[in-house]
Structures are given as structure tokens and as C-alpha cells.
């Protein structure tokens, strides 16, 4: 048996001022895709692990991952998709294991995953199985469910189970190929979007739902049960949270499972509301505490949620604050990087920083400091989570030392959930008083064990938790919480 494996992952934010291009995916093909993921804790790493242990041949098609931003521009979308399709055709495989995000958009396409799956289905024909893995923040569509034999989502948020999800998908695919299971899949959509900040899977309202899904799997009542509380920053058709259940040859049981968990999610929807803290209040509270680090999460500028990472909502307060220890903050600002590199190591600089992409929500802030470090912006993620073991390339990068504030500024966006972002640039968050991350929740996996306290702060931005502030136009209405009196689906038994 030859199993094709591929990954194309990006989450979209259709409010972002930054569009996505082909190069943002750093795509590799064939053997290079295998080499990127072999031994790493990604979905593809999980596929490869199971195929190697069971002595199945893997036919690697492609590996592509891009940081969250607005839609992939049309010619680049067509190029990437046609490379995938050509590779799949050449592979002459018996089945496909595919890792995608589930909330990817392109110009003229709200549902990239559904599109890719429908093409994969036409290459493979109706009988060869396709098992798809998705991020927990996927937006499930009819086209996705109609073209995959099984869909399996992460069970963790912060996401730390990509490898396990890949392994689970590979085991299911092999059972399908051996005739041991005949997957039947059902899903239930809800007119609901929820905040990321309060949807951890290890505590709070999502925790019990994930435990219920896992209990059904462990009891053998379902092959896979996945909750998809979609990330809320997409103004697209067919938008909303969903539950997907895969059973063995029992369509009605799959629908029952999906419906029962969807009903529970609906009933708990108010529990996801977030308490945002004004930045001056968070800084004052931090100063009253002994030691650090105290983490300020600027979720409205979350780079993993499609914000450009250029907000000065925290920076403008931080730069004026009287701090008893060092503070670290990450920003994306290509022209500031260029100016600092022109000035050179050790040079004193005065410059405006921030608001490089999103002038609507951020104005540049004047800073004075010293160029402490210049780097190529290449670092390897170490914490369990996104791209663990894989190199991040955020372009030329500098560290400016402005009094107690250390500004890490890069030409391109990067995830901020891994302390290795700062460590790789000479700043150890453990020894900081304040660390600013641009993430709603993913940062908790690596920062909760080392942080004295954590505050999700209130600043404006395109990944704000204040969903009513976003200019939604296309999303199906009514939808909760944009419409407070939204009714649940009429046929859902609550
Ligand atoms: Zn996610």
C-alpha cells in the first residue's frame, strides 16, 4: 500500500490588512516534505511515525505552513493547489492522509480545504480513502465532510497534540484500508462563534466537552469525535462552530454523538465571555507583585490569529512605565528593522515603531534606544505546539534596548507562543519582569509553568475578543454573540 501524505496549513483572518502569498508557506515537495517533518511533533510527523512502524510506504506530496493572515492571493492559491494536485496524481497512491487547518481562505474561495479535498477526491476516485486532520479552530463545511472519509481535529488548546492527531488519523486510515472499519461521519453546525481567550481544553467550559468526546472514543462508541469552536475572525459563508463524529458503519449514531455535544456547546456558550484588563491596570498589578515574569497577552494583535503583530496598544504604555525589571515585547516592522541595521550594532537610535500595517488600530510610537542585536530571524520552535522542531524564518530582525524594555523587531510575522522566540535573540523570559505575547491562549502551554501571573489585555485590533467591534458583512445571520437572541437549530434537541 502506498499512502500519500501532505500538509497545507494556514488559518485566515479576513479582517487582517496583510494578504498571504505563496512564499509565506515555505512549501516543499516530495522527499523534502518528508525530511521537514520526519521525527518532528507535527501531524505529518505523526503520519510518518505510524506508516514507518507498520511498514507502509509513504508518498510525500507537499508540506506547507503559513502564519495567519488575510486570504491567499488568487494566482498563488492556484499555483499551490495545482502543485498539490499534480503531486497527488503522480503518486498513484492507494489513500491520502492530509493535514490542513480548516479555516483557510483565498481570494474568491471561502473554503480552501473543501476545494482541495474535492480535487483530491477527483484524483483518487470515490473508493480510495481520505482522512483529514484539522486544527480545533476549523470551520467545517459540507464540502469538506462530503469529500473526506473521516475528519479528525486536535483535542487540545493550546494546541500541543498535532503529532497525536496525525497518529490517530494514520491508524484510522490503516483500519479502513484493512476493512476493519467502515467510517460513517456526521457533523452539526451551530450559529455560534466563540472567543479564543477562554476556550482552553484543560479547564473551563471547553474542558468538559473535550473529556466527553474522548470518553466516547475510549468506550468504542465512535472512531473519532472532534469539537470545532471555529476561530471567530472570518467574515465568510457557512461560518460557525461545529462538532464532527466518525463512527463504524452507523450514520445515525454519528449524528447522535455530534448533536449531543453540539447541544452542550450551545448551552454553555455564555461561559466563553472574556474579561479583558486595561493595559495600565495590568502594568500596575504587575509592579505590585514580587518577581516575574508577568505575561501580558495582547490577543487583539495575535500573530497566530492573523493580526500583523504591529500594535502599539501595549508598547505605548510599556515605554513610559516605571519598571522594576526588564520587559520583552515582539513587533513586526520592516522599516524599523532596516533603520536599526543601517545604524549598526551599539548605535543609539531614535525612531517611530509600530502601526506598520494596521494604522486603523495603532499609531507609531517614538522610542529611543540602542541597537543591541542584529539577526537573520531564523530560530527553531522548541516548546510543544506549532512547528516544534521546525525552523521559523521571520526575516532580518533586531533587538532594541530602550531602558528596561527590550524590543524584538522582525521584518515578518511569527508565532509568539514559544519563549524560544525571545531566547533565540538573547532575551530569556524567565528573567524578565514583563513579557508581552501576541496570542489569545496558545501562549499558556509554555508560559503558564514559568509565569507569576497572566493578563489578557484590552487593546484594539483585527483579532479582538470584542467580536461586535468587527465589520462582519457576509457571515450568516443571526449568529451568537453578534445577535444576542440567536435561536439554536430547530431540529437540535437541547
Ligand atoms: Zn487553532
Amino acid at each position: 500500500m502506498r499512502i500519500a501524505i501532505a500538509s497545507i496549513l494556514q488559518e485566515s483572518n479576513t479582517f487582517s490588512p496583510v494578504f498571504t502569498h505563496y512564499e509565506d508557506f515555505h512549501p516543499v515537495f516530495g522527499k523534502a516534505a518528508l525530511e521537514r517533518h520526519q521525527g518532528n511533533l507535527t501531524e505529518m510527523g505523526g503520519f510518518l511515525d505510524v506508516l514507518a512502524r507498520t511498514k507502509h510506504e509513504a508518498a510525500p506530496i507537499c508540506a506547507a505552513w503559513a502564519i495567519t493572515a488575510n486570504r491567499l492571493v488568487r494566482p498563488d492559491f492556484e499555483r499551490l493547489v495545482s502543485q498539490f494536485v499534480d503531486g497527488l496524481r503522480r503518486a498513484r497512491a492507494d489513500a491520502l492522509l492530509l493535514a490542513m487547518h480548516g479555516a483557510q481562505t483565498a481570494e474568491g474561495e471561502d473554503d480552501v480545504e473543501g476545494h482541495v479535498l474535492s480535487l483530491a477526491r477527483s484524483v483518487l476516485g470515490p473508493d480510495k480513502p481520505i482522512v483529514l486532520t484539522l486544527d480545533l479552530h476549523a470551520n467545517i463545511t459540507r464540502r469538506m465532510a462530503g469529500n473526506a472519509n473521516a475528519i479528525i481535529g486536535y483535542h487540545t488548546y493550546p494546541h500541543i497534540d498535532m503529532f497525536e492527531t496525525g497518529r490517530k488519523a494514520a491508524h484510522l486510515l490503516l483500519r479502513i484500508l484493512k476493512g476493519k472499519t467502515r467510517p460513517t461521519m456526521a457533523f452539526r453546525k451551530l450559529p455560534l462563534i466563540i472567543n479564543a481567550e477562554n476556550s482552553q481544553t484543560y479547564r473551563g467550559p471547553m474542558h468538559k466537552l473535550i473529556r466527553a468526546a474522548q470518553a466516547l472514543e475510549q468506550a468504542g462508541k465512535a472512531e473519532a469525535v472532534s469539537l470545532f469552536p471555529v476561530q471567530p475572525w472570518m467574515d465568510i459563508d457557512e461560518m460557525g462552530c461545529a462538532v464532527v463524529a466518525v463512527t463504524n458503519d452507523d450514520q445515525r449514531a454519528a449524528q447522535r454523538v455530534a448533536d449531543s455535544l453540539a447541544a452542550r456547546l450551545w448551552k454553555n456558550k455564555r461561559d466563553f465571555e472574556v474579561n479583558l484588563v486595561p493595559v495600565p491596570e495590568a502594568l500596575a498589578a504587575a509592579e505590585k507583585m514580587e518577581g516575574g515574569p508577568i505575561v501580558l497577552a495582547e490577543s487583539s494583535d495575535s500573530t497566530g490569529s492573523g493580526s500583523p503583530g504591529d500594535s502599539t496598544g501595549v508598547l505605548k504604555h510599556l515605554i513610559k512605565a516605571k519598571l522594576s525589571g526588564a520587559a520583552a515585547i515582539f513587533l513586526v516592522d520592516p522599516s524599523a528593522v532596516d533603520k536599526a541595521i543601517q545604524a549598526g550594532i551599539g548605535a543609539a537610535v531614535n525612531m517611530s515603531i509600530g502601526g506598520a500595517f494596521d494604522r486603523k488600530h495603532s499609531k507609531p510610537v517614538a522610542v529611543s534606544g540602542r541597537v543591541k542585536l542584529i539577526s537573520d530571524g531564523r530560530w527553531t520552535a522548541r516548546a510543544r505546539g506549532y512547528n516544534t522542531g521546525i525552523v521559523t524564518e521571520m526575516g532580518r530582525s533586531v533587538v532594541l534596548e530602550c531602558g528596561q524594555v527590550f524590543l524584538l523587531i522582525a521584518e515578518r510575522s511569527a508565532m509568539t507562543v514559544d519563549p524560544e522566540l525571545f531566547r533565540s535573540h538573547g532575551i530569556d523570559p524567565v528573567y524578565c519582569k514583563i513579557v508581552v505575547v501576541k496570542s489569545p491562549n496558545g501562549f499558556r502551554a509554555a508560559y503558564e509553568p514559568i509565569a507569576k501571573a497572566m493578563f489578557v489585555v484590552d487593546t484594539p485590533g483585527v483579532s479582538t475578543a470584542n467580536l461586535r467591534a468587527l465589520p462582519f458583512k457576509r457571515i450568516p445571520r443571526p449568529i451568537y454573540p453578534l445577535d444576542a437572541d440567536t435561536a439554536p437549530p430547530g431540529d437540535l434537541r437541547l
Side-chain angles (χ1 to χ4, degrees):
M1 288 282 186
R2 254 169 86 72
I3 319 290
I5 60 167
S7 68
I8 303 172
L9 285 110
Q10 189 193 25
E11 179 179 292
S12 289
N13 177 326
T14 64
F15 302 107
S16 173
V18 180
F19 280 75
T20 305
H21 295 88
Y22 181 85
E23 293 72 24
D24 296 323
F25 282 90
H26 302 280
V28 284
F29 301 91
K31 202 160 156 258
L34 183 146
E35 284 162 359
R36 181 178 288 178
H37 286 280
Q38 193 142 45
N40 284 326
L41 298 173
T42 55
E43 297 93 317
M44 285 268 274
F47 298 162
L48 286 164
D49 181 68
V50 170
L51 297 182
R53 284 171 197 273
T54 55
K55 302 199 164 39
H56 286 86
E57 188 189 352
I61 310 298
C62 63
W65 185 94
I67 198 155
T68 314
N70 207 331
R71 293 171 189 269
L72 175 58
V73 298
R74 188 76 204 185
D76 294 11
F77 164 60
E78 286 170 4
R79 181 178 172 200
L80 189 60
V81 169
S82 71
Q83 285 176 318
F84 163 78
V85 171
D86 290 348
L88 186 61
R89 204 169 275 137
R90 277 198 305 272
R92 298 181 176 280
D94 300 296
L96 170 64
L97 283 167
L98 179 61
M100 297 193 79
H101 182 284
Q104 189 183 348
T105 64
E107 284 178 336
E109 180 57 78
D110 278 0
D111 175 19
V112 167
E113 286 81 0
H115 178 73
V116 167
L117 278 165
S118 66
L119 294 173
R121 178 55 74 206
S122 63
V123 171
L124 294 177
D127 300 326
K128 292 178 178 172
I130 299 174
V131 176
L132 173 71
T133 65
L134 294 176
D135 188 286
L136 172 137
H137 295 108
N139 184 53
I140 303 301
T141 65
R142 288 185 293 269
R143 196 162 45 153
M144 283 184 209
N147 286 293
N149 296 77
I151 292 175
I152 299 179
Y154 306 158
H155 273 179
T156 59
Y157 184 43
H159 309 315
I160 51 170
D161 65 338
M162 288 81 160
F163 180 73
E164 290 78 1
T165 306
R167 280 182 51 92
K168 193 167 148 186
H171 280 303
L172 177 57
L173 183 85
L174 295 181
R175 284 203 305 279
I176 296 169
L177 286 170
K178 285 177 189 152
K180 289 184 176 168
T181 187
R182 189 181 162 273
T184 35
M185 180 162 61
F187 72 107
R188 167 63 74 170
K189 290 283 283 191
L190 291 169
L192 172 67
I193 49 177
I194 65 173
N195 285 122
E197 284 83 349
N198 197 21
S199 54
Q200 299 81 11
T201 49
Y202 60 99
R203 63 159 180 245
M206 193 55 74
H207 175 63
K208 280 188 187 146
L209 293 170
I210 287 287
R211 290 286 295 272
Q214 290 169 338
L216 287 161
E217 290 177 1
Q218 279 152 13
K221 292 190 173 147
E223 296 282 345
V225 183
S226 310
L227 286 134
F228 293 106
V230 60
Q231 59 89 353
W233 309 284
M234 288 193 300
D235 191 21
I236 58 168
D237 289 336
E238 236 182 313
M239 175 73 171
C241 296
V243 180
V244 177
V246 182
T247 52
N248 181 8
D249 204 12
D250 192 341
Q251 187 68 42
R252 287 172 66 174
Q255 194 66 57
R256 259 198 323 273
V257 167
D259 284 357
S260 72
L261 282 172
R264 285 177 66 176
L265 178 58
W266 180 263
K267 281 191 233 168
N268 295 340
K269 62 186 180 299
R270 284 182 188 83
D271 298 342
F272 291 94
E273 276 164 29
V274 190
N275 180 27
L276 299 173
V277 182
V279 178
E281 211 173 281
L283 288 172
E287 274 310 311
K288 283 195 189 118
M289 290 174 200
E290 192 125 327
I294 288 118
V295 176
L296 270 55
E298 190 176 18
S299 59
S300 65
D301 190 36
S302 164
T303 52
S305 314
S307 284
D310 67 344
S311 165
T312 53
V314 173
L315 180 68
K316 68 182 178 191
H317 295 287
L318 199 58
I319 215 85
K320 287 186 199 148
K322 286 200 172 60
L323 301 169
S324 60
I329 182 167
F330 172 75
L331 263 108
V332 185
D333 190 333
S335 75
V337 169
D338 198 53
K339 278 181 206 149
I341 291 174
Q342 296 290 331
I345 287 273
V349 288
N350 296 299
M351 61 171 92
S352 289
I353 288 178
F357 305 95
D358 184 0
R359 279 292 165 92
K360 188 176 158 203
H361 296 107
S362 270
K363 289 197 173 57
V365 165
V367 300
S368 306
R370 200 172 64 85
V371 181
K372 171 92 177 155
L373 182 143
I374 296 173
S375 99
D376 62 0
R378 283 170 59 88
W379 57 280
T380 303
R382 305 271 178 220
R384 201 71 203 270
Y386 298 95
N387 298 323
T388 311
I390 292 173
V391 174
T392 290
E393 297 186 49
M394 56 188 196
R396 297 182 306 162
S397 303
V398 298
V399 174
L400 292 191
E401 184 180 0
C402 305
Q404 292 273 50
V405 181
F406 288 81
L407 281 128
L408 170 55
I409 314 172
E411 285 186 310
R412 291 199 294 275
S413 187
M415 299 296 290
T416 67
V417 298
D418 186 343
E420 193 64 21
L421 165 73
F422 289 116
R423 276 192 200 121
S424 60
H425 287 78
I427 304 161
D428 192 336
V430 168
Y431 301 112
C432 289
K433 176 71 184 174
I434 306 271
V435 179
V436 183
V437 295
K438 309 225 165 186
S439 156
N441 182 52
F443 71 95
R444 292 179 192 274
Y447 276 101
E448 201 160 276
I450 60 170
K452 272 265 154 66
M454 298 182 289
F455 298 98
V456 182
V457 293
D458 189 7
T459 61
V462 296
S463 55
T464 175
N466 182 9
L467 302 178
R468 290 186 193 91
L470 294 168
F472 284 104
K473 290 188 186 77
R474 299 185 54 197
I475 194 170
R477 304 297 284 260
I479 193 162
Y480 188 88
L482 305 183
D483 307 295
D485 56 353
T486 305
D491 60 338
L492 185 64
R493 280 178 50 194
L494 293 174

